[in-house]
Amino acid sequence: MNSMERDPTRDTAFALVSGVLDRRRPLDQTLDQLSGIEARDKAAAHRIAASVLRHLGSIDAVLEAHLTKAPPAKVRHILRIGAAQALFLGAPAHAAVSTAVALAHGQGMGKFAGLVNALLRRVTEAGTAALAALDQPRLDTPSWLWASWGKAARAIAVAQQFEAPLDVSMMPGAVPPEGAMLLPGGSARLPAGTDVTALPGFADAALWVQDAAAAMPVRLFGDVRGRRVLDLCAAPGGKTMQLAAAGALVTALDRDGRRLDRLRANCVRMGMAVDVVTADALTWRPERRFEAILLDAPCSATGTIRRHPEIRHLRRPGDIADCAAMQDRLLDAAHAMLAPGGTLIYAVCSLQDEEGFGRVAAACARLALQRLALTAEDIPWLPEAVTPMGDLRTHPGMWAERGGMDGFFAARLVKAGSAA
């Protein structure tokens, strides 16, 4: 490649890395704001940027061994992109170097092109051997997150080194996609990068995307056929469809109209009748209280780092307290909308105890709620996910031999009083 020739893939990857690390924007949000880029280039750029963010600590350790002083932020990002391609994405050495040099020119950093060329040549000459002596899971995980995960930290961090596979939930009686691994809980698993829209079952209204761990909270209700169930914070709708497929009479509520459009489209594709409400769960109230409510609350999402590697770079310790405060308000609202004797499933895709067990303990202390403890019989395919308190706790290190799973917490709560 000519050093002055612009490369839309690397330009986009640079915009994504810079968006996350310099402006603290999620990858998908930054990508959505970029226009005039071919879908193929966007996909390739996302893969490069995600690799940088997934392995950032290790990449920086390799680069630091060859740096005598700190380069400008733009140059550091260019070096990271080149190193990620060479060390983790299998790019030929000459391609990783030449595209990085071209990127330096394109980003107005031409005077550093010689540095980029020389340093990345050293990195590519050493190859992946430079990674062998590094504790990559530890380097790639912020210290505060590692400490918060306790004994499971290493298993979690190791699992987060890899891109997540594609899991789908299926309609009752549907045949799993060809080549899929059927998981013990009933989900079907396909390799990372699989295009779900290309699967025959997608067009045939037989399946939808949902991580195996994300499918577990709904199952804690038991039989929901004919029951009125409120799905709070429902978008984009995986659990909504799961409830509808199980025969529930579902009301799906979310305040984000754009995300609800996606939920509606999915329900139409699946031929599911769902009452969709655009409203704020903190203020909206139904005419009649529900006998079952699912609250999959907004959270830090640290359980989904395999899918969204930028999360570990966007979150700060103070964010957890902010999330917990919102979760308390949503639990109060859910309690107000739940009929006496009704069941509330509280769930978060977070690995932080403050957002899981801590919120349930606080809710039970201040509201007319009590935990209906889970047992191994509730989740016979993953009994180790049942905590001593009777809650559900999954993490990415579970099912490592099958490709892991997202981190989820869920508790089953019952409101005091007799059902009407």
Side-chain angles (χ1 to χ4, degrees):
M1 172 180 287
N2 185 293
S3 63
M4 299 302 292
E5 183 180 344
R6 299 300 294 267
D7 178 350
T9 294
R10 275 72 186 182
D11 282 344
T12 303
F14 180 90
L16 294 176
V17 171
S18 178
V20 172
L21 298 179
D22 299 336
R23 289 179 287 281
R24 300 195 67 206
R25 293 177 181 168
L27 275 176
D28 290 344
Q29 179 183 324
T30 302
L31 198 59
D32 288 344
Q33 293 173 346
L34 300 175
S35 59
I37 301 168
E38 297 289 337
R40 180 179 61 183
D41 292 324
K42 278 191 173 185
H46 188 282
R47 183 166 180 254
I48 293 170
S51 183
V52 170
L53 298 168
R54 193 181 308 279
H55 305 288
L56 187 63
S58 299
I59 289 171
D60 281 354
V62 170
L63 294 175
E64 286 297 331
H66 303 287
L67 286 168
T68 56
K69 63 179 181 178
K74 278 190 172 183
V75 175
R76 189 177 290 277
H77 294 337
I78 292 165
L79 291 169
R80 287 163 167 166
I81 288 168
Q85 292 178 88
L87 298 176
F88 296 102
L89 297 178
H94 66 87
V97 174
S98 64
T99 55
V101 170
L103 182 57
H105 285 287
Q107 293 297 325
M109 293 285 109
K111 67 179 181 179
F112 292 96
L115 168 68
V116 170
N117 180 74
L119 195 150
L120 288 179
R121 283 186 182 278
R122 294 190 196 114
V123 169
T124 56
E125 285 169 5
T128 56
L131 299 170
L134 302 179
D135 184 352
Q136 294 182 62
R138 184 65 188 86
L139 285 170
D140 296 333
T141 305
S143 295
W144 73 275
L145 282 175
W146 184 281
S148 73
W149 297 336
K151 294 179 180 179
R154 182 161 296 278
I156 292 169
V158 168
Q160 289 172 345
Q161 296 282 297
F162 304 98
E163 187 178 356
L166 174 75
D167 291 351
V168 296
S169 291
M170 297 172 291
M171 290 291 287
V175 177
E178 184 178 354
M181 176 195 303
L182 191 60
L183 298 174
S187 300
R189 172 160 290 180
L190 295 123
T194 299
D195 180 3
V196 68
T197 63
L199 299 176
F202 186 85
D204 296 341
L207 55 82
W208 61 93
V209 175
Q210 188 176 33
D211 186 79
M216 294 183 192
V218 164
R219 295 183 179 133
L220 304 182
F221 280 119
D223 189 355
V224 293
R225 285 176 295 180
R227 298 176 68 190
R228 293 177 62 249
V229 183
L230 173 62
D231 185 2
L232 283 176
C233 310
K239 296 177 183 65
T240 299
M241 290 184 285
Q242 192 180 359
L243 286 163
L249 308 176
V250 188
T251 297
L253 182 144
D254 202 287
R255 67 180 183 180
D256 189 329
R258 289 183 60 188
R259 297 183 77 220
L260 277 179
D261 288 342
R262 180 179 169 190
L263 183 151
R264 288 189 182 93
N266 277 325
C267 287
V268 169
R269 175 178 66 83
M270 298 298 297
M272 295 174 172
V274 173
D275 181 21
V276 181
V277 178
T278 305
D280 189 335
L282 297 178
T283 56
W284 182 84
R285 293 295 180 268
E287 293 182 3
R288 183 160 60 102
R289 287 184 287 187
F290 290 86
E291 56 188 305
I293 295 178
L294 171 66
L295 172 55
D296 185 1
C299 66
S300 64
T302 54
T304 66
I305 288 174
R306 297 183 311 152
R307 302 179 188 282
H308 306 286
E310 73 271 24
I311 286 173
R312 73 180 90 191
H313 307 295
L314 295 178
R315 298 291 178 263
R316 299 290 185 269
D319 297 338
I320 306 305
D322 293 339
C323 288
M326 173 57 72
Q327 291 151 6
D328 283 344
R329 292 194 290 273
L330 287 167
L331 278 162
D332 289 345
H335 175 263
M337 291 184 268
L338 186 64
T343 303
L344 167 64
I345 302 296
Y346 170 74
V348 285
C349 57
S350 169
L351 293 167
Q352 312 313 116
D353 282 345
E354 301 94 322
E355 298 181 82
F357 171 78
R359 303 286 44 82
V360 171
C364 290
R366 73 175 183 276
L367 303 171
L369 292 171
Q370 61 183 20
R371 178 188 276 105
L372 181 57
L374 307 175
T375 70
E377 294 180 359
D378 290 297
I379 314 172
W381 61 91
L382 194 66
E384 61 269 33
V386 178
T387 73
M389 292 295 294
D391 300 322
L392 171 74
R393 160 55 72 205
T394 67
H395 67 70
M398 291 178 168
W399 280 355
E401 72 284 359
R402 295 185 174 100
M405 64 177 64
D406 284 352
F408 252 89
F409 172 91
R412 185 170 58 191
L413 308 170
V414 176
K415 185 171 181 177
S418 301

